[in-house]
Amino acid sequence: MPEDLSLKPYSNAPIDTEAGRRRSLAAGSLAHAVHDGLTDVIYVLLPLWQAAFGLSYAQIGLLRGAYAGMMAGFQLLASRGARHWGRERLLVAGTALAGLAYLLAAQANGLIWLVLALMIGGLGASTQHPLASALVSDAYEGSGRTKQALAQYNFAGDIGKAVIPGISGLALMYISWQANALLLGVLGLAAAVGLWRLIPDEAAQAGRAKQKALTETPGSPVGLAALIATGTLDSGVRMGFLTFLPFLLQLKGAQPEHIGLALALLFMGGAFGKLFCGYLGARLGPVRTVICTEVLTAVLILLAIVLPYFSLMLVMPLIGLALNGTSSVLGGLVPDFTSRTNRDKVFAWFYTGTVGGGACAPMLIGAIADEAGVVNGLVTLAGLLLLTVPLGLCIARGLRGA
């Protein structure tokens, strides 16, 4: 009888077989799609919770912050926990916990219950980015397709963001929010079962001899710090722009339904951008791609300010492509700055920075907008994004110094 390796802590040895790589990519993509969808569907449910429980805007912010704070704060602990309990176990458990959170939310009778449920959901979600990213990266190590695989993994996350909240929004026309939350919980539990079956059992033993022959030359710590800073700025600008884009469109005379269309066009371009920029980075070079897309994003933000509404709608997919595409290239660079044994930890640091930047930037730009207007707030975002150019040069030097 072969030894049951699925019950042991993971080994980060490379996977030799193409079938094993595909299964790992499928597992990582499934985790990313479901977790990102369960994270963003909160935006659909917040107005319903406000009406059901008479919540203030501050309490609404508390609900969103409870989920995001737990997700950001426990990513590093998730990477450490994987060393003790195994990557597969922790990723499956985190996905099940995210589903359980919605089952609990469906039973909520007030704010405290909802906050506790969302804290549990954020705790479960904290496992996805560091563990699933490292799973995909390790699977494609040595294949020459690591960055393309991570681009596909990131693309799956955007699909989840679009599909799960969209279907939930349609379902809420026919069922109660409680029934909707129950279905979301079942989705999370079903995804956990799917991950348990998808993650290759042979990952713990395949390529063990190959691992001994590897000579690892990770990039410099300064380059890694620049990479995390770039990811933090990129995520912060993206979240800040998405937060205040509706208000910019209102200034241009857009109605609520027009704003929805603009966001749909932007997200469509963003989903394609994740995939396209990942492949572009593998050909043009990741650092060159990052610098080009960040500068293009800054220019497009400024262009969005001056264009009239209908002209802006035409370029909205391009804005989405540049705005979202860079993140897949940045995520693909993480394996270049870490040894295999520290990959979960470094991914955790990277995603803690990006989630933290996405949480802080809207508050900063909101304060500027309160004092100087939305337009000046968006100009500030474009200026912040230009800081990624010297950071990109630091990343390049860090790679050369490996």
Side-chain angles (χ1 to χ4, degrees):
M1 289 287 292
E3 186 180 6
D4 183 5
L5 296 167
S6 65
L7 298 179
K8 293 183 177 293
Y10 75 94
S11 166
N12 43 22
I15 292 175
D16 290 329
T17 66
E18 186 62 29
R21 289 182 178 129
R22 286 198 298 266
R23 286 178 60 188
S24 294
L25 178 57
S29 298
L30 172 64
H32 203 178
V34 171
H35 276 276
D36 275 19
L38 292 180
T39 296
D40 280 19
V41 77
I42 294 174
Y43 294 119
V44 177
L45 294 171
L46 285 176
L48 300 176
W49 288 336
Q50 182 185 40
F53 302 115
L55 305 179
S56 67
Y57 287 115
Q59 290 170 328
I60 289 294
L62 174 63
L63 290 177
R64 187 67 186 92
Y67 194 101
M70 293 292 286
M71 181 170 65
F74 280 86
Q75 289 186 107
L76 283 169
L77 289 178
S79 70
R80 293 179 184 176
R83 299 181 181 278
H84 295 285
W85 297 300
R87 182 187 290 165
E88 179 189 59
R89 281 181 175 179
L90 209 59
L91 184 56
V92 169
T95 305
L97 206 58
L100 177 64
Y102 280 96
L103 297 180
L104 294 174
Q107 313 303 319
N109 56 8
L111 176 66
I112 294 177
W113 189 280
L114 276 178
V115 169
L116 290 174
L118 292 179
M119 288 178 69
I120 291 172
L123 179 63
S126 69
T127 63
Q128 188 275 129
H129 279 120
L131 303 188
S133 298
L135 172 69
V136 174
S137 179
D138 285 350
Y140 280 83
E141 183 76 21
S143 70
R145 292 179 285 135
T146 304
K147 291 178 175 58
Q148 293 95 319
L150 286 170
Q152 293 177 43
Y153 158 80
N154 282 311
F155 176 70
D158 271 22
I159 294 299
K161 288 179 181 180
V163 171
I164 294 177
I167 292 177
S168 290
L170 292 175
L172 286 167
M173 298 172 62
Y174 305 100
I175 62 176
S176 67
W177 70 263
Q178 291 94 336
N180 188 271
L182 283 173
L183 291 175
L184 291 169
V186 171
L187 172 64
L189 296 177
V193 174
L195 287 174
W196 185 260
R197 295 179 64 85
L198 269 174
I199 298 175
D201 294 334
E202 69 270 21
Q205 63 185 92
R208 201 176 294 273
K210 186 180 187 179
Q211 183 186 19
K212 295 179 182 178
L214 287 175
T215 302
E216 295 176 332
T217 55
S220 72
V222 173
L224 175 59
L227 177 64
I228 294 173
T230 303
T232 301
L233 283 171
D234 178 73
S235 177
V237 169
R238 182 168 60 256
M239 293 298 103
F241 183 75
L242 289 173
T243 300
F244 291 96
L245 175 61
F247 300 98
L248 176 66
L249 292 170
Q250 283 182 342
L251 293 176
K252 297 177 183 293
Q255 300 301 312
E257 60 271 21
H258 299 149
I259 294 173
L261 175 60
L263 289 172
L265 291 171
L266 185 135
F267 289 139
M268 288 171 58
F272 178 73
K274 286 280 183 73
L275 195 61
F276 173 75
C277 289
Y279 282 93
L280 181 64
R283 288 159 176 76
L284 180 62
V287 176
R288 290 178 182 174
T289 302
V290 167
I291 292 175
C292 290
T293 54
E294 297 288 33
V295 171
L296 177 62
T297 302
V299 171
L300 288 172
I301 289 174
L302 297 176
L303 192 62
I305 293 172
V306 300
L307 284 178
Y309 170 75
F310 289 106
S311 298
L312 178 56
M313 292 288 278
L314 294 176
V315 298
M316 197 63 71
L318 180 59
I319 295 176
L321 186 150
L323 194 69
N324 271 20
T326 311
S327 61
S328 64
V329 185
L330 293 170
L333 279 168
V334 172
D336 296 332
F337 285 93
T338 176
S339 63
R340 188 185 301 280
T341 54
N342 289 324
R343 189 159 291 163
D344 296 290
K345 182 179 179 180
V346 174
F347 268 116
W349 276 112
F350 176 78
Y351 282 111
T352 297
T354 59
V355 173
C360 294
M363 293 186 288
L364 171 64
I365 302 305
I368 295 173
D370 283 336
E371 294 296 324
V374 171
V375 168
N376 287 320
L378 293 176
V379 170
T380 302
L381 281 179
L384 286 173
L385 205 55
L386 293 178
L387 295 175
T388 60
V389 174
L391 287 171
L393 297 177
C394 288
I395 295 171
R397 284 196 295 269
L399 287 171
R400 287 197 298 270

